[in-house]
Amino acid sequence: MNDSIRINLEQVRGRIQAACARSGRDTADVTLIAVSKTKPLEDLRAAYDCGARDFGENKVQEITAKQPSMPADARFHMIGHLQRNKVKQVLPHVKMIHSVDSLRLAEQIQHDAEAAGLTIPVLLEVNVAREESKYGFFLEEVEPAVNQICRLSRIQIRGLMTIAPFVVDAEENREIFRKLYQLSVDIKTKNIDNVSMSVLSMGMTGDYEVAIEEGATMIRVGTGIFGSR
């Protein structure tokens, strides 16, 4: 058993609990995704032994290598930029794709999922801060994209995801998270077929407590669990 991973997980869970208490939320409504990119299988197994079941990876080759070697109830999430030529490889191995950042990618997922007889839950990635270095739809592009992607029969739109800017003070990202939450509420009120908006994937090691206070239902924590890369 890797003691540092166990201790880190306990600390993260304690901070999730505190953030939920501050914002009047139930801890059961927040899913912790252990971001295991670049980490060896033994680290994932150590986290699994401490109760982690959801793992986030940035690269298709890491998911396809690790997922078959983990227990059957370990769920893998594709959280990094997904190239269209890699979609077919990753589909059988993922619980959810968090990073649908274009209509063309959604159409590729539809095509490959249909061929594989699968239906894939996805989140639309939103570049709230309009950072040039990041992928994703701008805020004003999300609803038009939802209206097109929701027609794809092999995709289920479950919500939105954002990667907030890297900041020293997590409070600086509060407005980013608030905007994403508000957008999800706005889309939810429209009752669009095949769109649930039940998932808000936002917040990472440096700012997940603020994200929880602003409505995150999934947080992606890597360094806070596995240590620095």
Side-chain angles (χ1 to χ4, degrees), residues 4-228:
S4 65
I5 289 175
R6 179 182 56 77
I7 292 162
N8 289 345
L9 263 170
E10 282 172 8
Q11 287 178 340
V12 170
R13 287 179 180 135
R15 289 167 69 178
I16 290 170
Q17 210 162 6
C20 285
R22 285 194 299 274
S23 48
R25 298 186 61 199
D26 187 336
T27 51
D29 295 336
V30 180
T31 299
L32 171 60
I33 296 177
V35 178
S36 45
K37 61 181 184 180
T38 76
K39 292 297 174 184
L41 210 47
E42 55 263 35
D43 283 6
L44 277 75
R45 289 191 177 127
Y48 179 92
D49 289 342
C50 298
R53 290 296 178 270
D54 292 271
F55 296 88
E57 294 283 348
N58 275 42
K59 292 196 162 72
V60 169
Q61 59 267 37
E62 285 205 63
I63 291 180
T64 55
K66 292 172 180 174
Q67 187 269 336
S69 302
M70 288 290 285
D73 63 339
R75 298 175 287 266
F76 279 76
H77 299 253
M78 178 65 193
I79 61 173
H81 176 61
L82 179 56
Q83 294 168 295
R84 296 198 307 282
N85 63 352
K86 301 267 182 75
V87 169
K88 188 188 293 186
Q89 290 168 254
V90 83
L91 290 187
H93 301 282
V94 287
K95 170 79 175 168
M96 182 180 279
I97 297 171
H98 289 229
S99 47
V100 172
D101 54 19
S102 69
L103 181 58
R104 289 177 74 196
L105 175 58
E107 288 168 344
Q108 188 68 52
I109 294 169
Q110 166 72 16
H111 176 272
D112 292 343
E114 194 154 43
L118 297 168
T119 302
I120 307 295
V122 307
L123 307 178
L124 301 198
E125 182 171 352
V126 187
N127 186 350
V128 182
R130 303 179 85 92
E131 292 183 277
E132 283 183 20
S133 61
K134 298 222 173 96
Y135 295 97
F137 298 97
F138 292 148
L139 283 166
E140 69 276 10
E141 296 172 334
V142 175
E143 200 180 320
V146 166
N147 284 322
Q148 289 183 287
I149 295 170
C150 72
R151 298 174 193 155
L152 302 175
S153 60
R154 292 290 180 167
I155 288 180
Q156 296 170 333
I157 301 178
R158 291 285 175 82
L160 306 174
M161 178 269 242
T162 197
I163 301 170
F166 178 76
V167 292
V168 176
D169 178 9
E171 281 298 325
E172 290 178 40
N173 280 336
R174 189 177 291 278
E175 192 57 30
I176 301 283
F177 300 141
R178 197 168 279 168
K179 283 179 178 171
L180 194 70
Y181 174 79
Q182 193 52 57
L183 178 62
S184 77
V185 169
D186 291 347
I187 292 171
K188 198 176 199 166
T189 60
K190 305 216 158 101
N191 291 316
I192 305 165
D193 282 350
N194 194 26
V195 179
S196 74
M197 288 294 128
S198 57
V199 177
L200 260 189
S201 171
M202 58 187 194
M204 292 158 57
T205 294
D207 56 19
Y208 65 84
E209 290 153 287
V210 173
I212 289 169
E213 290 167 7
E214 295 302 329
T217 67
M218 285 187 174
I219 56 168
R220 310 178 303 271
V221 179
T223 308
I225 294 171
F226 297 107
S228 51

